Amino acid sequence: MLHVIGLGLGDARDITVKGLEIIRMCDRIYLESYTSILSISLKDLERFYDCTILEADRELVENNADEILPKDEKENVAFLVVGDPFGATTHTDLILRAHEKNIKVNIVHNSSILTAIGCCGLQLYRFGETVSIPYWNNDWQPSSFYEKIISNRQRDLHTLCLLDIKVKEPTIESITKKNKEYMPSQFMSVSEAAIQLLQVIEKRFEETKEELALDKSSLVVGLARIGWDNQGIIACSLQEMASIDLGPPLHCLIIPAIKLHPLESEFITLYIRK
């Protein structure tokens, strides 16, 4: 059986009792290591779970997923995911591959950033489509995330922006080589995301000369390391967020609806930048 187990958002102790019991009876254990991070190292996890854990990077999961799946009916494999197993489409693909091979799959859920963001006081049922903000480069500067944010605001909905993570990404020059070279890890900050949003807004205004549904004075919420002991939350204007330092990753950014519920307004004042 393939067991896909959510680890939660913080450290080794966030795993469920059910998840830990399953890990300790599995023949192989993998940790998915490229869609998110925990506050502790792989060695710390191994000590707490009392087992050996194999690192599953993007190349293994997306290109060689069959290596992860159980080899026979007697083998149990655990695939550990930060947050909840269905927080990334990559994990859905792995589960579908298992079903195609008639391999039984067991899911153990846990907390996810998609629900934990409620800690900032914005009501979860008022969130619209979640968007991802990617790193730009000189040749690639997509802005479709902006259109989705505007669509949510026009429907009076909040937007969760998940910020880009680059872990063990091969350099363009090494893609065709047998021995790939990798770029340094990168984790987008709320300030970097705000800067890119401001650039999109400026370009849109130059094109239309019309008042926009999102501008530099709009309220936004920056969140960092949610679920960790040192999590950080701050609410301020988009312009101010461009210079905010919320410390180490992981970060995410929320663009609230234009009109807040009175309880949301009261709660979010706890995080207004003084």
Side-chain angles (χ1 to χ4, degrees):
M1 183 177 288
L2 172 67
H3 303 270
V4 186
I5 302 172
L7 300 184
L9 297 172
D11 57 35
R13 297 169 298 170
D14 285 344
I15 193 169
T16 62
V17 174
K18 180 192 291 186
L20 184 56
E21 288 176 346
I22 292 172
I23 286 173
R24 289 176 173 170
M25 54 79 70
C26 280
D27 302 292
R28 284 184 287 134
I29 301 100
Y30 291 89
L31 173 65
E32 188 265 89
S33 62
Y34 66 92
T35 61
S36 189
I37 57 174
L38 288 170
S39 63
I40 59 175
S41 68
L42 180 62
K43 290 184 178 180
D44 290 329
L45 278 185
E46 290 180 327
R47 279 192 289 268
F48 188 84
Y49 298 158
D50 192 26
C51 64
T52 299
I53 301 176
L54 305 170
E55 186 176 358
D57 59 18
R58 181 188 297 274
E59 188 171 347
L60 175 61
V61 178
E62 295 186 352
N63 299 328
N64 300 289
D66 288 348
E67 294 182 17
I68 297 172
L69 300 176
K71 305 305 180 186
D72 55 50
E73 294 181 357
K74 295 182 180 180
E75 188 177 34
N76 282 283
V77 175
F79 185 75
L80 313 183
V81 178
V82 178
D84 186 82
F86 291 106
T89 54
T90 296
H91 312 137
T92 303
D93 180 68
L94 181 65
I95 292 166
L96 289 174
R97 286 173 178 267
H99 281 291
E100 288 174 0
K101 295 179 176 293
N102 295 316
I103 295 170
K104 295 180 180 178
V105 178
N106 177 43
I107 306 296
V108 182
H109 293 284
N110 209 316
S111 60
S112 164
I113 191 61
L114 298 175
T115 53
I117 52 172
C119 66
C120 74
L122 297 176
Q123 297 166 351
L124 291 178
Y125 69 85
R126 292 195 62 199
F127 277 80
E129 182 179 358
T130 298
V131 306
S132 297
I133 299 183
Y135 273 114
W136 284 350
N137 58 42
N138 293 333
D139 302 315
W140 190 69
Q141 297 185 359
S143 59
S144 57
F145 56 86
Y146 171 81
E147 311 297 344
K148 294 177 181 179
I149 292 170
I150 297 304
S151 176
N152 283 339
R153 282 173 72 82
Q154 290 172 340
R155 291 177 290 149
D156 209 24
L157 299 174
H158 311 311
T159 306
L160 169 63
C161 304
L162 300 177
L163 309 186
D164 203 358
I165 298 173
K166 292 186 180 297
V167 177
K168 205 174 180 181
E169 293 275 345
T171 61
I172 295 176
E173 294 79 10
S174 74
I175 288 177
T176 57
K177 298 179 180 178
K178 291 184 178 179
N179 296 320
K180 290 185 179 178
E181 298 173 354
Y182 299 96
M183 296 184 290
S185 296
Q186 285 183 286
F187 303 91
M188 182 180 286
S189 66
V190 290
S191 60
E192 290 174 312
I195 289 169
Q196 288 191 184
L197 260 175
L198 287 167
Q199 290 176 0
V200 175
I201 290 169
E202 183 179 2
K203 183 178 180 181
R204 288 292 194 280
F205 182 74
E206 289 176 354
E207 292 172 350
T208 65
K209 303 299 181 183
E210 297 177 356
E211 184 177 345
L212 302 176
L214 179 69
D215 59 35
K216 63 182 181 181
S217 64
S218 298
L219 176 69
V220 297
V221 184
L223 303 95
R225 303 172 303 282
I226 297 303
W228 297 23
D229 294 336
N230 64 341
Q231 73 175 30
I233 305 174
I234 191 166
C236 60
S237 71
L238 181 60
Q239 181 72 60
E240 291 174 305
M241 191 63 72
S243 59
I244 291 293
D245 181 4
L246 274 182
L250 293 169
H251 292 191
C252 62
L253 183 70
I254 297 175
I255 313 298
I258 296 173
K259 296 180 181 179
L260 300 184
H261 184 280
L263 288 177
E264 292 179 312
S265 295
E266 182 179 356
F267 203 121
I268 213 164
T269 57
L270 299 175
Y271 305 113
I272 293 291
R273 188 183 186 191
K274 301 296 190 288

